[in-house]
Amino acid sequence: MNSYRRSEDLRALWPWLPLWTAVALIAMFSHGPMPLYSTRTLAVAWEMWQGHHWLVPHINGEPYSEKVPLLFWLIHAGWFVFGVNDVWPRLLEVFFGGVQLVLVWMLASRLFPNRPWVAKAAPWMSMALAYAFLFGLQIMYEVLLVDCVLGALLCLTPKAQRAEPRWLLFGLLIGAGLLTKGPVMLLHIVFPWLLGPLWNDWAREHRARWYARGALAVLLGLAMLLAWAIPAGFSGGEAYRHRLFFTQTAGRVVKGVQTDQKLQSHPHWIGWYLISLPMLLFPFSAWPRVWVALGTLRRPLDSGLRFALCWLVPSFVVFSVISGKQWYYLLPEFAGWMLLLAGAIAVLRERHDKLATSYWLGSWPLGVGSIVFAVLLFALPALAPGHRLHSEWIEGAAPYSRNFSVMFLLLGGLLLLRGRGEMRRVALAGLVGVLALNTLFTLTLWHKYDLGPTAALLSGAQADRQAVAIVGNYEGQFHFAGRLSQPITELWNGEDIAHFAATHPNGLIITHPDQLDTRALRYALLVQPFRSSWVEVWPATTLADLRAGHVPAEPAQQPTIYPASTGAAYGQQP
């Protein structure tokens, strides 16, 4: 019987899990780690590894209070076995993404036992979310956090053989989430627990045990966090301890909190998440049947829908009120949205057959949109030469755009089909479409993100004991790729530049101007595009002379222009 059940479980994972894994691997390894998200994470892991800082994360030679260490420890575990590389961290992210889909499937199976279609649909829908897929390609903390959140919530859901939650595992997963992303973990799981009697029969019948044992589980998770944070705080020093225990969390929650260092707080207005929701839930936000299904829901709702609402509504309100906002902060809730949408469509299929099968509520708007997009891609090479689009990003995609227009034309035709399997067609088109866009980006625009040439130059400079500085804030973008062993000094004004040049006459200074400094094409060591701006590497004395209004000595060699074919286009000196 057990072997039969395992066989059925494995069959339930087919074909969405191997399909998603193959697509994710192709997308993940089509280009290198992305600045600044992935490169910063790798920089911290590298500095911890290189400096043997196993307890306190470090970046650019200083304790890093922004993040907790679990992801770094998992990266180190692979490096102990395979050596330092960027393959293992990327494989980790793909593994975390696969686990996320399995957990969504398990949650749907438990929450909707009488509607098996939800368990079939939820992982398909989750893997097709365009933003979540693309962000999942980053070596970041959120996908691991999603696994911890979904695992913890799964512990609260009843099984056929056991109605009471698994409190010990609930607490351990809360602790893992706290060690992945910090106290924000609690915001992702607290509302389904606090509102448990609204969706869970066992919680309603055993309220005292539900809240008492749940509180003990939360305390266990907090104890796991403190078991790391207290010794880390003493090891990292007073300034690090203050940031770790107060400002790095408070500065995100309340706008205007004063900190001794620049904080990545990302403030946005209260409605920012609301207006972003259609983009975050694409392609399903453009599928009319979803909105009709939500609009026709009526009480009584089954426990799965009540669970999703108890999770999504209060957490969305709280995250909207908090000052610091980024789209990926809501990544754990994407699974909840897919459970809600899949559950609503399942109800529609049972109660409103005509609405569930009407072609005019189907995927045709997505199909039309895909065909229109295909036409635009086909037209790009004709529009780009005249700079009619006024966008270097769109024009940069022109050389390969016609090849990819065929793919989106085929996807549009798939979405215009009638008949059964509509949800899978939408999911498949979403997944393949986002892979196609990622591939187009790799072929045409990745060179604007590839900081490998600059990192290689800095690595050689540090090997020759040359000091390196940067004008402005340094985000760790060169440290891992260059395997740098020394910090990069931050310079903020002309006086800092002059002092650095006088102290380190053979040093290098990196600048990051919005517009290309034409003098860099004559005097700099290296010039390369970066996103919509530039990276320039200068001899320190040369840059100091230019900033002081002096004419520096002629360089011994011409600067390296990356990519090499762009030198003439940007006015390289003969």
Side-chain angles (χ1 to χ4, degrees):
M1 187 67 179
N2 289 334
S3 61
Y4 174 77
R5 185 179 298 113
R6 285 193 294 269
S7 174
E8 288 296 299
D9 289 343
L10 290 174
R11 287 179 58 188
L13 305 181
W14 175 267
W16 52 264
L17 184 58
L19 172 64
W20 180 89
T21 302
V23 171
L25 287 171
I26 293 170
M28 179 67 83
F29 288 97
S30 64
H31 55 68
M34 180 73 71
L36 297 165
Y37 291 137
S38 296
T39 53
R40 183 165 49 214
T41 304
L42 289 171
V44 176
W46 163 246
E47 288 203 42
M48 292 176 70
W49 176 272
Q50 192 261 344
H52 304 291
H53 303 299
W54 310 120
L55 193 62
V56 179
H58 276 64
I59 189 168
N60 203 32
E62 297 291 335
Y64 185 51
S65 63
E66 296 281 317
K67 295 295 180 283
V68 281
L70 182 57
L71 178 59
F72 306 126
W73 290 342
L74 293 174
I75 292 174
H76 292 158
W79 286 354
F80 273 114
V81 178
F82 305 112
V84 176
N85 61 81
D86 64 24
V87 173
W88 167 251
R90 289 192 271 177
L91 287 175
L92 263 182
E93 293 296 326
V94 174
F95 173 75
F96 294 153
V99 171
Q100 172 186 334
L101 294 179
V102 173
L103 290 172
V104 169
W105 166 67
M106 295 177 68
L107 269 172
S109 300
R110 291 195 191 178
L111 291 167
F112 298 89
N114 299 321
R115 293 194 169 99
W117 186 88
V118 179
K120 295 178 181 178
W124 280 94
M125 296 173 69
S126 295
M127 74 180 187
L129 290 170
Y131 174 79
F133 181 87
L134 289 174
F135 189 82
L137 303 181
Q138 308 301 315
I139 304 171
M140 284 283 281
Y141 321 88
E142 273 67 27
V143 183
L144 176 57
L145 176 66
V146 172
D147 290 348
C148 296
V149 169
L150 297 183
L153 295 179
L154 187 64
C155 292
L156 295 180
T157 58
K159 296 177 64 176
Q161 305 88 349
R162 177 190 173 101
E164 183 175 1
R166 296 183 178 273
W167 296 114
L168 177 60
L169 186 56
F170 182 57
L172 293 174
L173 287 167
I174 290 174
L178 290 168
L179 288 169
T180 298
K181 190 67 177 177
V184 72
M185 167 66 181
L186 297 178
L187 291 182
H188 293 295
I189 58 93
V190 69
F191 295 110
W193 169 56
L194 290 178
L195 301 176
L198 296 180
W199 63 270
N200 188 301
D201 292 338
W202 191 92
R204 189 161 48 252
E205 296 168 4
H206 305 86
R207 290 175 186 260
R209 290 171 66 184
W210 175 272
Y211 289 114
R213 296 188 180 186
L216 290 175
V218 172
L219 291 175
L220 172 61
L222 291 171
M224 291 172 61
L225 178 64
L226 291 175
W228 163 78
I230 291 174
F234 283 104
S235 176
E238 183 178 354
Y240 170 76
R241 186 164 58 248
H242 179 71
R243 294 194 302 271
L244 180 68
F245 284 100
F246 176 66
T247 56
Q248 69 95 19
T249 296
R252 287 172 170 81
V253 175
V254 182
K255 186 176 181 180
V257 170
Q258 298 299 312
T259 63
D260 58 341
Q261 288 189 353
K262 183 180 178 181
L263 186 69
Q264 302 165 14
S265 56
H266 313 295
H268 291 282
W269 68 292
I270 193 170
W272 191 69
Y273 282 137
L274 184 62
I275 64 173
S276 303
L277 205 55
M279 182 275 293
L280 297 178
L281 299 182
F282 186 84
F284 299 101
S285 56
W287 185 17
R289 205 174 314 280
V290 162
W291 298 105
V292 172
L294 290 174
T296 55
L297 283 177
R298 297 291 184 270
R299 294 195 300 173
L301 303 177
D302 61 24
S303 61
L305 292 170
R306 283 181 274 130
F307 167 86
L309 292 172
C310 288
W311 179 14
L312 295 174
V313 174
S315 62
F316 189 85
V317 171
V318 171
F319 276 102
S320 295
V321 171
I322 291 173
S323 172
K325 297 180 181 68
Q326 288 281 66
W327 289 328
Y328 57 83
Y329 289 176
L330 298 182
L331 211 60
E333 278 66 40
F334 284 19
W337 283 106
M338 294 305 100
L339 290 173
L340 176 63
L341 298 185
I345 294 173
V347 173
L348 186 74
R349 287 159 57 98
E350 292 178 7
R351 300 178 182 174
H352 305 280
D353 183 65
K354 289 185 178 181
L355 294 177
T357 57
S358 170
Y359 179 75
W360 299 109
L361 298 178
S363 57
W364 66 267
L366 287 163
V368 171
S370 183
I371 292 171
V372 170
F373 187 59
V375 172
L376 292 175
L377 288 177
F378 190 84
L380 275 187
L383 298 175
H387 300 288
R388 301 168 189 164
L389 302 174
H390 305 291
S391 171
E392 59 180 307
W393 301 106
I394 298 177
E395 292 175 2
Y400 290 89
S401 63
R402 284 184 174 170
N403 298 329
F404 286 85
S405 70
V406 177
M407 174 63 71
F408 284 96
L409 184 64
L410 293 175
L411 292 178
L414 177 68
L415 291 166
L416 290 176
L417 292 176
R418 295 174 177 266
R420 299 181 60 184
E422 181 181 74
M423 178 277 299
R424 293 194 181 189
R425 289 197 296 272
V426 173
L428 183 63
L431 184 64
V432 174
V434 76
L435 173 63
L437 289 176
N438 183 75
T439 306
L440 179 60
F441 164 81
T442 302
L443 292 172
T444 60
L445 296 172
W446 167 243
H447 70 275
K448 290 178 176 287
Y449 289 78
D450 181 11
L451 293 173
T454 300
L457 175 62
L458 301 182
S459 179
Q462 286 201 350
D464 292 337
R465 299 184 181 278
Q466 293 176 262
V468 179
I470 188 170
V471 177
N473 188 45
Y474 178 55
E475 300 281 359
Q477 57 266 38
F478 307 112
H479 251 75
F480 179 78
R483 304 296 195 272
L484 304 186
S485 58
Q486 299 298 321
I488 292 179
T489 304
E490 295 180 345
L491 309 175
W492 297 99
N493 51 50
E495 184 178 337
D496 290 346
I497 293 172
H499 178 74
F500 181 85
T503 309
H504 307 284
N506 69 335
L508 303 182
I509 298 179
I510 309 157
T511 60
H512 183 205
D514 292 332
Q515 301 293 328
L516 177 64
D517 187 333
T518 55
R519 297 173 298 179
L521 298 173
R522 181 174 183 177
Y523 295 109
L525 294 175
L526 182 143
V527 176
Q528 73 166 104
F530 177 54
R531 301 199 292 195
S532 56
S533 57
W534 297 88
V535 169
E536 303 165 350
V537 183
W538 302 79
T541 53
T542 298
L543 183 62
D545 285 343
L546 288 171
R547 293 294 177 94
H550 303 146
V551 178
E554 287 296 322
Q557 63 184 37
Q558 293 293 317
T560 300
I561 310 295
Y562 181 83
S565 61
T566 63
Y570 297 128
Q572 185 176 7
Q573 296 293 318

